[in-house]
Amino acid sequence: MKFKLTSIAAAIILSPATFAADMEDIERLTVKGKYLSVNQSNSIKSPTPIIDVPQSLSIITAEEITARGITSIGQIIDYAPGVNTSQGEGHRDSVVFRGVRSTADFYLDGNRDDVQYYRALYNVEQVEILRGPNALLFGRGGTGGILNRVSKKAKTSDKFVNYNVSANTFGAYNLQLDTNVDTGDKSALRINAMYESLDNHRDFFYGDRYGFNPTARFELSDDTIVDVSYEYIDHERFIDRGVPTANGEPVEAFEEFVFGDPDNNYQTLGADVFRANVEHTFSDNLKGNFNAFYGDYDKVYSNFYAAGYNAETEQVTLDGYVDTTQRENMILSSNLVGEFETGSIGHTVIFGGEVINTKSNQDRYNPVFDSTDGDRETFNISRPLSFRGLTGTNAEGVTVTADFSDLNDDTHVDLDVYSFYVQDEIALSDNFDLVLGARFDSFDIEVFNADPEVLETRSRKDEEVSPRAGLVYKPQKNISIYASYSESFLPRSGEQYANINGDANALDPDTFTNQEIGIKWDFNDSMSFTAAIFENEQTSLDNDPNDPESFVEVDSDVSGFELQLQGYITDKWYITANYSNLDGENASGVELRELPENTMSVWTTYEVNEVFGFGIGATYQDESKVSTSASSPVLPSYTRVDASAYYTLSDKMRLQLNVENLTDTLYFPNAHSTHQVTVGAPINARLSLIGSF
């Protein structure tokens, strides 16, 4: 299957529907629902139709995000197959991709976005979730999958001002502005801005978020486009790590209790992010892309949480810490995409490289209670706890104070990564495509341990080759059957480069492999179905419990299948439905944490007439374990029902209502550890006014 690379110059916005236009029509159409947005991101890096990608993936557009009243990554995950949320200790996005928990496999326009925080959605064109190891395109990590945000870009020959004003029944509100100005025949400026005041159902919760993101586009010629962008990020929020467990499940009686210090449970984040992208078409068959990314992040995370709970005495033991991160990420990447033929066989070849330099300083201080001279103290349970501002009355009735004075760690990291990759999409015939590729990564890390009691520098260098192979068979144009194999790895320094202390600098990286077969079927120009069966395997090294001087391999395995159906039943009735079945255990036969066997979701909307429509949906999650241990508490299964309705006031204004948890179900969607279980929000509603000038 061949088409000219110049066809990708059109703006590409994915929606749930697909279309059946002939390939010859691509050059004159604004493509919707057919491709990942290769002109805006590096997710696939080649102009490959979704039906020909030998991998399971999900996409949600800005239009869907607005219509569903979505304000967080977690709400997207709730309605996506093969993935579920983790707590993230109340201060970061955390996703479980097919049983692999990650807080760093996030990308922005294909660039690594690994700092831990809650990502805003005000400036995204779409969100792409690719499942299975993705090292060939994204490097180390991506072990169970990745999530890529595609940002909004300036548009030439266009002028608009869009706004979204919303408030919910908790008292939170959100303001968003999206304006585009045509500054000339070949240039444009676009500004996205937001302010969000946070509130929810839990005691003491507060927060606000600011975002400001101007972008500019310059069409230097018919063949060269330059996009530049700057984003200012300022976030602050209360940290809530949930409730403890007893008798193997969360304590429902504590649904409104917060086990922390109202004055010292908080997160702040300030960041400046710069991006530049140059896209050049050398010829009809050769296209190049160069991308530069720089991010400067300053984050503070302070918290107390329940580390222990005694149900008989109704007492809770608090622990805590304050953690700071200062990180600079510089990423330079480029790729060439070329098309050519060898005899009757067509090739679409991607060749690219990436250079990353990361400097990251992080430290953590534990509290010291004057009563115990340690980092833990026990309090009687009350609402609120008798502990505020680092002062309180312990379970024995003694006044105690705490101070964050015990240095837990202080590390300064310098990381250099050099990568190059090549992939060939080979059109063997009209019915068979073969995808072959590999990536080489050189991962060189140096960690200075600044703890005065240690003061040492350690380093490690890993060089890994990550292969990928896929076979796509198309019995007809609207059906593809595929099989794929891919690998990824994670160095011993982990996803946040915390340290390589002890034996960590002597151990090889964890390795991940994925085998998958699937089918993608576009029933017609508005309805599609996909299904995938897969197996993910992880191999890591750990200390041998019988011989501390040696290491043993520790394996885990996750297998399952996913189903997706999405599209229009009629021109007024849209539906998306997903189902996942997952089964995973480690080498000891213990079920993996946060791995519900069954998850499913359905969302449907109906346009009653030209001005009114409504939607209703439900998401179900099976029970899952809080930790990977035989005695782990269990998160009970739950079903949450959501709904929406809108009324069009004029051709430029819409009133919208979104209701979450319509049946007011008490549920516990995720956890971080045994006594830190998230309490789901009760019934709540968001009213929005959406329009344009």
Side-chain angles (χ1 to χ4, degrees), residues 366-418:
N366 296 327
V368 177
F369 287 92
D370 61 358
S371 53
T372 64
D373 200 30
D375 60 358
R376 297 190 177 193
E377 180 57 278
T378 300
F379 299 87
N380 292 321
I381 293 178
S382 60
R383 184 183 178 215
L385 290 178
S386 59
F387 182 66
R388 183 161 190 159
L390 300 178
T391 301
T393 303
N394 68 10
E396 298 177 355
V398 176
T399 299
V400 300
T401 60
D403 182 34
F404 290 110
S405 58
D406 177 26
L407 178 64
N408 185 79
D409 61 69
D410 184 1
T411 55
H412 301 176
V413 175
D414 195 346
L415 171 67
D416 289 299
V417 180
Y418 301 93

Side-chain angles (χ1 to χ4, degrees), residues 140-245:
R140 89 280 181 186
T143 49
I146 67 98
L147 187 149
N148 181 53
R149 291 176 296 147
V150 180
S151 67
K152 295 177 179 178
K153 306 293 191 300
K155 298 181 179 182
T156 56
S157 303
D158 201 357
K159 182 179 181 180
F160 56 80
V161 178
N162 299 326
Y163 62 87
N164 186 333
V165 180
S166 66
N168 72 12
T169 50
F170 294 130
Y173 59 91
N174 184 296
L175 311 173
Q176 295 183 22
L177 181 70
D178 179 7
T179 179
N180 190 88
V181 179
D182 191 355
T183 57
D185 293 339
K186 299 292 184 178
S187 63
L189 174 67
R190 186 171 186 174
I191 297 176
N192 280 272
M194 66 155 280
Y195 170 73
E196 183 176 15
S197 176
L198 303 173
D199 204 349
N200 71 9
H201 58 294
R202 301 278 286 162
D203 288 343
F204 315 124
F205 191 86
Y206 70 90
D208 52 39
R209 304 199 293 181
Y210 302 85
F212 178 67
N213 181 201
T215 68
R217 167 163 288 192
F218 305 95
E219 297 179 356
L220 303 184
S221 69
D222 292 340
D223 298 322
T224 305
I225 298 174
V226 177
D227 288 297
V228 294
S229 170
Y230 163 72
E231 183 177 11
Y232 170 73
I233 301 170
D234 188 331
H235 294 181
E236 181 178 7
R237 71 165 60 216
F238 180 77
I239 300 304
D240 175 15
R241 293 179 63 165
V243 300
T245 64

Side-chain angles (χ1 to χ4, degrees), residues 8 10 31 101 158 164 206 218 230 332 348 354 365 374 389 408 445 462-463 507 525 638 652:
I8 305 306
V31 182
R101 187 172 57 141
D158 201 357
N164 186 333
Y206 70 90
F218 305 95
Y230 163 72
L332 302 176
T348 300
E354 186 175 57
Y365 284 85
N408 185 79
I445 187 171
D462 291 300
E463 295 183 340
L507 300 179
D525 60 356
Y638 70 88
K652 292 188 176 182

Side-chain angles (χ1 to χ4, degrees), residues 6 167 207 287 377 595:
T6 51
K287 180 180 181 179
E377 180 57 278
L595 190 69

Side-chain angles (χ1 to χ4, degrees), residues 537-550:
E537 297 177 346
Q538 175 184 354
T539 300
S540 60
L541 292 176
D542 205 350
N543 292 100
D544 187 341
N546 301 315
D547 181 7
E549 301 300 321
S550 62

